[in-house]
Amino acid sequence: MATDKRKYAPQSFPRSALCIALLIAMPHVAYAARLDYELGAAVMHSDNIVLSENDEISETVFSPRLRFDFEHSSSTLQSTFRGDVQYLDYLDDVYQDDTRGEFVGALDWTISPDRVSFMARDSLSRQSVSTLAAFTPGNQQQINIFEAGPSFFARFGQATLGQIDLRYTNSYAEETETFNNDRYNIAARLRRQTSSTSQVSLNLEATQTEYDTISEFYDYKRYDAYVNYSSQLASLDLSVDAGYSRLQPKGGDDTSGTLFRGRADWRVSPRSTFNANLNYQFADATQDLILRVGDPGDPGSPIIGDPDNPNLQIVPDTFKQKRFNLGYEFTGVRLNLQVQPYYEQLRYLRDDAFDQDNYGGLFSARYEVRPQMFATALAARQHRQFKGIDREDRDTTLALGLATRMSRHWGAQLDYQYRKRDSSVGGQNYVENVVVLSFTYFR
């Protein structure tokens, strides 16, 4: 079979660099800062790197890697930057050698206490070019989302605070140019502290979204009005948004609907925590990625590759989202467990080809076999049913790992991963076995 050898090198991280430059420019950065980093190298072997049903191709990849984690906190500035950069050398030349990066950065600057603050967020992640194809190295692209802007505050008595937020967001996709857009948001909020543990706020937001290449048809304005209630008790944190949204597309009819977002975190015991999320709202790929992109420096993740397949379609279309997920986490002396089932329904407003119902879950465990030696296990299952094209995919991932810290600065890890897809569409099934051996220097 013909193998896609396009080189998917990430963009030169201009917005990530801007976020770091903002940090350097702030006062008092040199104090109360912490920097951790890891330098490592891994050898990965896959028996089906192209994730093909019949024409399987094996490949060995050598990958030097840098991970870093920077945190700074002072009376006026809080910042966190986590990143992961690796170079992939495909020894059998199935794909061209590549550089891959992930980044999450957050900066909050108090310019004038109780008057003016400034925030900046940046995330760089890997997503599919097409979610209908397998998540191979030839079907990946870098997505960068940068958000920044000031907030202005005014206090009305001891318990009431007024706030105005101005935000600019830029979204960039390496391959899907129609996704690239700029959006401008203004939000007015009135918050009232109802007790020592709870508050209520009224929120009004207006957003203008402008696409780079398809603005004539896809630009739109969005208006949101909602009430937020939040509380923080000894064992329960709760936050609920309830209101209404209205979309005014440039090339279509107005659409409106209910907005509801809820999250609860229940600490059953010092070692056990339950959480639940429920979303019923209009969303798009940019908004969803801001919420979904996690910590790229998670030391429990595989050295090369992700434990699942990204299922978010990188397109400019807005969708109606219903999403519900549960979570349970147990943190023991030697054993850590996580369970995360979910259900999601997406209905696109313009093109129903990607309308889908998704459900599945993830189970992970980490056990300390002996001091400085850990065994890990992961099992993930995802079922996707596309409504517009009569297709169903069932993805399964199983992974085992063994990590050891040989000294204060040196560690080694061995990972095995099994991936399988059962699809109702011919030619889309695959099975892959991956083994990774890595060595890491810890600062």
Side-chain angles (χ1 to χ4, degrees), residues 143-159:
I143 306 293
N144 194 93
I145 298 176
F146 175 76
E147 179 185 13
S151 295
F152 305 92
F153 305 91
R155 186 165 291 281
F156 306 101
Q158 291 292 328

PDB file of all heavy atoms in Angstrom, residues 143-159:
ATOM      1  N   ILE A 143      -2.319  21.537  16.811  1.00  0.00           N
ATOM      2  CA  ILE A 143      -3.345  22.551  16.999  1.00  0.00           C
ATOM      3  C   ILE A 143      -2.888  23.479  18.125  1.00  0.00           C
ATOM      4  O   ILE A 143      -2.576  23.016  19.225  1.00  0.00           O
ATOM      5  CB  ILE A 143      -4.699  21.935  17.368  1.00  0.00           C
ATOM      6  CG1 ILE A 143      -5.116  20.877  16.341  1.00  0.00           C
ATOM      7  CG2 ILE A 143      -5.753  23.021  17.507  1.00  0.00           C
ATOM      8  CD1 ILE A 143      -5.418  21.430  14.973  1.00  0.00           C
ATOM      9  N   ASN A 144      -2.832  24.775  17.837  1.00  0.00           N
ATOM     10  CA  ASN A 144      -2.424  25.746  18.852  1.00  0.00           C
ATOM     11  C   ASN A 144      -3.576  26.709  19.118  1.00  0.00           C
ATOM     12  O   ASN A 144      -4.188  27.243  18.192  1.00  0.00           O
ATOM     13  CB  ASN A 144      -1.207  26.543  18.392  1.00  0.00           C
ATOM     14  CG  ASN A 144      -0.558  27.295  19.549  1.00  0.00           C
ATOM     15  OD1 ASN A 144       0.367  26.808  20.192  1.00  0.00           O
ATOM     16  ND2 ASN A 144      -1.056  28.495  19.831  1.00  0.00           N
ATOM     17  N   ILE A 145      -3.876  26.914  20.401  1.00  0.00           N
ATOM     18  CA  ILE A 145      -4.919  27.852  20.801  1.00  0.00           C
ATOM     19  C   ILE A 145      -4.338  28.802  21.840  1.00  0.00           C
ATOM     20  O   ILE A 145      -3.825  28.373  22.879  1.00  0.00           O
ATOM     21  CB  ILE A 145      -6.141  27.119  21.377  1.00  0.00           C
ATOM     22  CG1 ILE A 145      -6.759  26.216  20.299  1.00  0.00           C
ATOM     23  CG2 ILE A 145      -7.177  28.114  21.884  1.00  0.00           C
ATOM     24  CD1 ILE A 145      -7.905  25.382  20.789  1.00  0.00           C
ATOM     25  N   PHE A 146      -4.400  30.099  21.530  1.00  0.00           N
ATOM     26  CA  PHE A 146      -3.857  31.140  22.406  1.00  0.00           C
ATOM     27  C   PHE A 146      -4.986  32.076  22.814  1.00  0.00           C
ATOM     28  O   PHE A 146      -5.763  32.537  21.981  1.00  0.00           O
ATOM     29  CB  PHE A 146      -2.752  31.922  21.689  1.00  0.00           C
ATOM     30  CG  PHE A 146      -2.244  33.089  22.490  1.00  0.00           C
ATOM     31  CD1 PHE A 146      -1.404  32.886  23.561  1.00  0.00           C
ATOM     32  CD2 PHE A 146      -2.616  34.395  22.165  1.00  0.00           C
ATOM     33  CE1 PHE A 146      -0.936  33.959  24.310  1.00  0.00           C
ATOM     34  CE2 PHE A 146      -2.146  35.462  22.903  1.00  0.00           C
ATOM     35  CZ  PHE A 146      -1.310  35.255  23.983  1.00  0.00           C
ATOM     36  N   GLU A 147      -5.088  32.336  24.109  1.00  0.00           N
ATOM     37  CA  GLU A 147      -6.127  33.212  24.647  1.00  0.00           C
ATOM     38  C   GLU A 147      -5.498  34.192  25.627  1.00  0.00           C
ATOM     39  O   GLU A 147      -4.658  33.811  26.451  1.00  0.00           O
ATOM     40  CB  GLU A 147      -7.194  32.374  25.357  1.00  0.00           C
ATOM     41  CG  GLU A 147      -8.315  33.186  25.988  1.00  0.00           C
ATOM     42  CD  GLU A 147      -9.288  32.326  26.774  1.00  0.00           C
ATOM     43  OE1 GLU A 147      -8.963  31.149  27.034  1.00  0.00           O
ATOM     44  OE2 GLU A 147     -10.360  32.838  27.144  1.00  0.00           O
ATOM     45  N   ALA A 148      -5.878  35.473  25.549  1.00  0.00           N
ATOM     46  CA  ALA A 148      -5.308  36.475  26.445  1.00  0.00           C
ATOM     47  C   ALA A 148      -6.251  37.659  26.562  1.00  0.00           C
ATOM     48  O   ALA A 148      -7.085  37.901  25.676  1.00  0.00           O
ATOM     49  CB  ALA A 148      -3.942  36.936  25.949  1.00  0.00           C
ATOM     50  N   GLY A 149      -6.119  38.412  27.662  1.00  0.00           N
ATOM     51  CA  GLY A 149      -6.898  39.622  27.824  1.00  0.00           C
ATOM     52  C   GLY A 149      -6.957  40.095  29.264  1.00  0.00           C
ATOM     53  O   GLY A 149      -6.638  39.352  30.197  1.00  0.00           O
ATOM     54  N   PRO A 150      -7.390  41.345  29.471  1.00  0.00           N
ATOM     55  CA  PRO A 150      -7.478  41.913  30.814  1.00  0.00           C
ATOM     56  C   PRO A 150      -8.854  41.717  31.445  1.00  0.00           C
ATOM     57  O   PRO A 150      -9.837  41.440  30.763  1.00  0.00           O
ATOM     58  CB  PRO A 150      -7.225  43.403  30.558  1.00  0.00           C
ATOM     59  CG  PRO A 150      -7.850  43.632  29.201  1.00  0.00           C
ATOM     60  CD  PRO A 150      -7.614  42.348  28.420  1.00  0.00           C
ATOM     61  N   SER A 151      -8.890  41.874  32.756  1.00  0.00           N
ATOM     62  CA  SER A 151     -10.138  41.905  33.520  1.00  0.00           C
ATOM     63  C   SER A 151     -10.138  43.149  34.400  1.00  0.00           C
ATOM     64  O   SER A 151      -9.098  43.516  34.963  1.00  0.00           O
ATOM     65  CB  SER A 151     -10.286  40.654  34.398  1.00  0.00           C
ATOM     66  OG  SER A 151     -10.410  39.490  33.615  1.00  0.00           O
ATOM     67  N   PHE A 152     -11.298  43.779  34.509  1.00  0.00           N
ATOM     68  CA  PHE A 152     -11.454  44.995  35.307  1.00  0.00           C
ATOM     69  C   PHE A 152     -12.503  44.739  36.389  1.00  0.00           C
ATOM     70  O   PHE A 152     -13.549  44.151  36.116  1.00  0.00           O
ATOM     71  CB  PHE A 152     -11.882  46.166  34.419  1.00  0.00           C
ATOM     72  CG  PHE A 152     -10.957  46.412  33.263  1.00  0.00           C
ATOM     73  CD1 PHE A 152     -11.202  45.812  32.029  1.00  0.00           C
ATOM     74  CD2 PHE A 152      -9.840  47.215  33.400  1.00  0.00           C
ATOM     75  CE1 PHE A 152     -10.349  46.016  30.953  1.00  0.00           C
ATOM     76  CE2 PHE A 152      -8.977  47.426  32.339  1.00  0.00           C
ATOM     77  CZ  PHE A 152      -9.225  46.826  31.114  1.00  0.00           C
ATOM     78  N   PHE A 153     -12.209  45.186  37.624  1.00  0.00           N
ATOM     79  CA  PHE A 153     -13.055  44.871  38.765  1.00  0.00           C
ATOM     80  C   PHE A 153     -13.543  46.151  39.446  1.00  0.00           C
ATOM     81  O   PHE A 153     -12.839  47.171  39.458  1.00  0.00           O
ATOM     82  CB  PHE A 153     -12.291  44.023  39.790  1.00  0.00           C
ATOM     83  CG  PHE A 153     -11.697  42.768  39.223  1.00  0.00           C
ATOM     84  CD1 PHE A 153     -10.407  42.754  38.719  1.00  0.00           C
ATOM     85  CD2 PHE A 153     -12.427  41.588  39.192  1.00  0.00           C
ATOM     86  CE1 PHE A 153      -9.857  41.599  38.194  1.00  0.00           C
ATOM     87  CE2 PHE A 153     -11.885  40.424  38.675  1.00  0.00           C
ATOM     88  CZ  PHE A 153     -10.594  40.433  38.178  1.00  0.00           C
ATOM     89  N   ALA A 154     -14.732  46.063  40.009  1.00  0.00           N
ATOM     90  CA  ALA A 154     -15.293  47.153  40.819  1.00  0.00           C
ATOM     91  C   ALA A 154     -16.106  46.523  41.942  1.00  0.00           C
ATOM     92  O   ALA A 154     -16.963  45.668  41.686  1.00  0.00           O
ATOM     93  CB  ALA A 154     -16.168  48.074  39.980  1.00  0.00           C
ATOM     94  N   ARG A 155     -15.838  46.937  43.181  1.00  0.00           N
ATOM     95  CA  ARG A 155     -16.538  46.341  44.319  1.00  0.00           C
ATOM     96  C   ARG A 155     -17.700  47.230  44.748  1.00  0.00           C
ATOM     97  O   ARG A 155     -17.558  48.438  44.889  1.00  0.00           O
ATOM     98  CB  ARG A 155     -15.567  46.138  45.484  1.00  0.00           C
ATOM     99  CG  ARG A 155     -16.181  45.393  46.660  1.00  0.00           C
ATOM    100  CD  ARG A 155     -15.123  44.896  47.607  1.00  0.00           C
ATOM    101  NE  ARG A 155     -14.322  43.822  47.037  1.00  0.00           N
ATOM    102  CZ  ARG A 155     -14.693  42.558  46.951  1.00  0.00           C
ATOM    103  NH1 ARG A 155     -15.898  42.189  47.378  1.00  0.00           N
ATOM    104  NH2 ARG A 155     -13.887  41.659  46.430  1.00  0.00           N
ATOM    105  N   PHE A 156     -18.856  46.584  44.956  1.00  0.00           N
ATOM    106  CA  PHE A 156     -20.053  47.258  45.421  1.00  0.00           C
ATOM    107  C   PHE A 156     -20.421  46.687  46.793  1.00  0.00           C
ATOM    108  O   PHE A 156     -21.214  45.755  46.904  1.00  0.00           O
ATOM    109  CB  PHE A 156     -21.206  47.054  44.435  1.00  0.00           C
ATOM    110  CG  PHE A 156     -20.858  47.452  43.022  1.00  0.00           C
ATOM    111  CD1 PHE A 156     -20.533  46.480  42.075  1.00  0.00           C
ATOM    112  CD2 PHE A 156     -20.844  48.781  42.647  1.00  0.00           C
ATOM    113  CE1 PHE A 156     -20.224  46.835  40.782  1.00  0.00           C
ATOM    114  CE2 PHE A 156     -20.529  49.151  41.342  1.00  0.00           C
ATOM    115  CZ  PHE A 156     -20.213  48.183  40.405  1.00  0.00           C
ATOM    116  N   GLY A 157     -19.801  47.206  47.811  1.00  0.00           N
ATOM    117  CA  GLY A 157     -20.014  46.677  49.143  1.00  0.00           C
ATOM    118  C   GLY A 157     -19.093  45.505  49.423  1.00  0.00           C
ATOM    119  O   GLY A 157     -18.259  45.102  48.606  1.00  0.00           O
ATOM    120  N   GLN A 158     -19.258  44.908  50.594  1.00  0.00           N
ATOM    121  CA  GLN A 158     -18.384  43.824  51.022  1.00  0.00           C
ATOM    122  C   GLN A 158     -18.624  42.522  50.263  1.00  0.00           C
ATOM    123  O   GLN A 158     -17.710  41.738  50.067  1.00  0.00           O
ATOM    124  CB  GLN A 158     -18.585  43.587  52.529  1.00  0.00           C
ATOM    125  CG  GLN A 158     -18.072  44.699  53.418  1.00  0.00           C
ATOM    126  CD  GLN A 158     -16.558  44.792  53.383  1.00  0.00           C
ATOM    127  OE1 GLN A 158     -15.863  43.792  53.233  1.00  0.00           O
ATOM    128  NE2 GLN A 158     -16.037  46.014  53.522  1.00  0.00           N
ATOM    129  N   ALA A 159     -19.865  42.286  49.812  1.00  0.00           N
ATOM    130  CA  ALA A 159     -20.204  40.967  49.271  1.00  0.00           C
ATOM    131  C   ALA A 159     -20.429  40.950  47.766  1.00  0.00           C
ATOM    132  O   ALA A 159     -20.635  39.878  47.196  1.00  0.00           O
ATOM    133  CB  ALA A 159     -21.457  40.434  49.970  1.00  0.00           C
TER     134      ALA A 159
END
